[in-house]
Amino acid sequence: DTGVSQNPRHKITKRGQNVTFRCDPISEHNRLYWYRQTLGQGPEFLTYFQNEAQLEKSRLLSDRFSAERPKGSFSTLEIQRTEQGDSAMYLCASSPEGVGQETQYFGPGTRLLVL
Amino acid sequence: DAKTTQPTSMDCAEGRAANLPCNHSTISGNEYVYWYRQIHSQGPQYIIHGLKNNETNEMASLIITEDRKSSTLILPHATLRDTAVYYCIVRVAWGRDDKIIFGKGTRLHILP
């Protein structure tokens, strides 16, 4: 068990460019979550997958954002036409499927800077 | 909005016990208390959780009051590596609402 991994760890891009982040959850964890964290704030929920199904999306996930988990394993988060306000840490977490809510384990995050 | 209230920051001397309080006066009977911490530039790290009984693991102890309206996270022998932001969270024990709602947490400084 190597934990949740995220790539890249850092990304600098120019406004208007598209970026894609990848998250590899803990193996056999059915649930995968994306959060965003801006400076001085706690993480904010973006979206959640159970296997390949995207079950919930936050209002923070504008139409420029899209997340996929095509085979129920790794997930990608794409931001199109990036804006300076997209600069943040993007966090991924995973949890096993259980009867109730299970503990979420977080990856190290991808820090995005939009110039 | 977060359902918990925590002090903005706290200091603790290295080697002493760090006691981090959390108020969750509107907690429901089916909600757990969770604690995470976030060391600078890293992802949140799970510490401990409980429903109504006190809990202990290798990292910390969680003391929940009998009325469940508040709790305390105890780090028994704080080290410099425990300097982090500590988040107290309440989460529904079951159901489809699976997201974590974080507040701003408590910034704990361990002093040498």
Side-chain angles (χ1 to χ4, degrees):
Chain A
D1 181 359
T2 58
V4 178
S5 62
Q6 294 186 246
N7 288 288
R9 293 292 311 278
H10 303 274
K11 179 71 177 180
I12 300 174
T13 191
K14 293 182 179 179
R15 188 175 54 186
Q17 298 294 305
N18 299 343
V19 294
T20 300
F21 310 140
R22 176 177 169 130
C23 171
D24 287 89
I26 294 171
S27 61
E28 300 183 357
H29 276 193
N30 301 85
R31 298 176 177 173
L32 188 147
Y33 311 81
W34 286 98
Y35 292 81
R36 182 176 72 182
Q37 185 175 26
T38 54
L39 204 60
Q41 304 296 316
E44 296 174 290
F45 171 79
L46 292 178
T47 190
Y48 146 53
F49 290 85
Q50 176 145 326
N51 299 310
E52 64 274 9
Q54 189 172 16
L55 296 186
E56 187 174 352
K57 293 194 289 186
S58 161
R59 60 177 174 75
L60 295 175
L61 211 68
S62 75
D63 56 6
R64 295 185 298 105
F65 288 69
S66 62
E68 294 182 344
R69 194 182 184 199
K71 296 182 180 178
S73 56
F74 72 91
S75 175
T76 58
L77 178 68
E78 181 183 17
I79 309 174
Q80 296 182 325
R81 305 180 303 280
T82 53
E83 301 173 357
Q84 288 183 324
D86 297 330
S87 296
M89 171 85 91
Y90 290 84
L91 293 159
C92 177
S94 71
S95 72
E97 184 174 0
V99 174
Q101 309 301 357
E102 300 294 332
T103 298
Q104 295 181 21
Y105 296 91
F106 284 80
T110 294
R111 187 172 294 280
L112 173 66
L113 178 61
V114 182
L115 302 176
Chain B
D1 291 342
K3 296 183 178 181
T4 62
T5 304
Q6 300 177 252
T8 303
S9 66
M10 294 181 62
D11 293 338
C12 179
E14 188 178 18
R16 304 297 293 269
N19 296 282
L20 291 91
C22 179
N23 286 322
H24 31 79
S25 58
T26 61
I27 193 170
S28 300
N30 64 346
E31 289 181 318
Y32 282 87
V33 179
Y34 272 75
W35 283 84
Y36 281 79
R37 73 179 182 185
Q38 190 171 23
I39 295 168
H40 182 60
S41 294
Q42 298 182 22
Q45 177 189 22
Y46 165 76
I47 301 173
I48 198 167
H49 74 283
L51 186 61
K52 57 182 178 180
N53 297 322
N54 298 337
E55 302 288 344
T56 296
N57 63 19
E58 64 279 3
M59 289 183 68
S61 294
L62 173 60
I63 309 298
I64 302 174
T65 58
E66 192 168 345
D67 64 7
R68 302 210 321 124
K69 293 185 177 182
S70 65
S71 60
T72 301
L73 178 75
I74 301 173
L75 307 178
H77 305 286
T79 71
L80 296 177
R81 287 177 294 181
D82 292 322
T83 293
V85 177
Y86 286 77
Y87 296 100
C88 171
I89 296 150
V90 296
R91 294 183 69 203
V92 174
W94 50 84
R96 288 283 295 264
D97 187 10
D98 202 26
K99 58 185 173 291
I100 294 177
I101 299 176
F102 289 86
K104 292 189 176 182
T106 295
R107 187 171 295 276
L108 177 66
H109 298 100
I110 305 301
L111 307 174

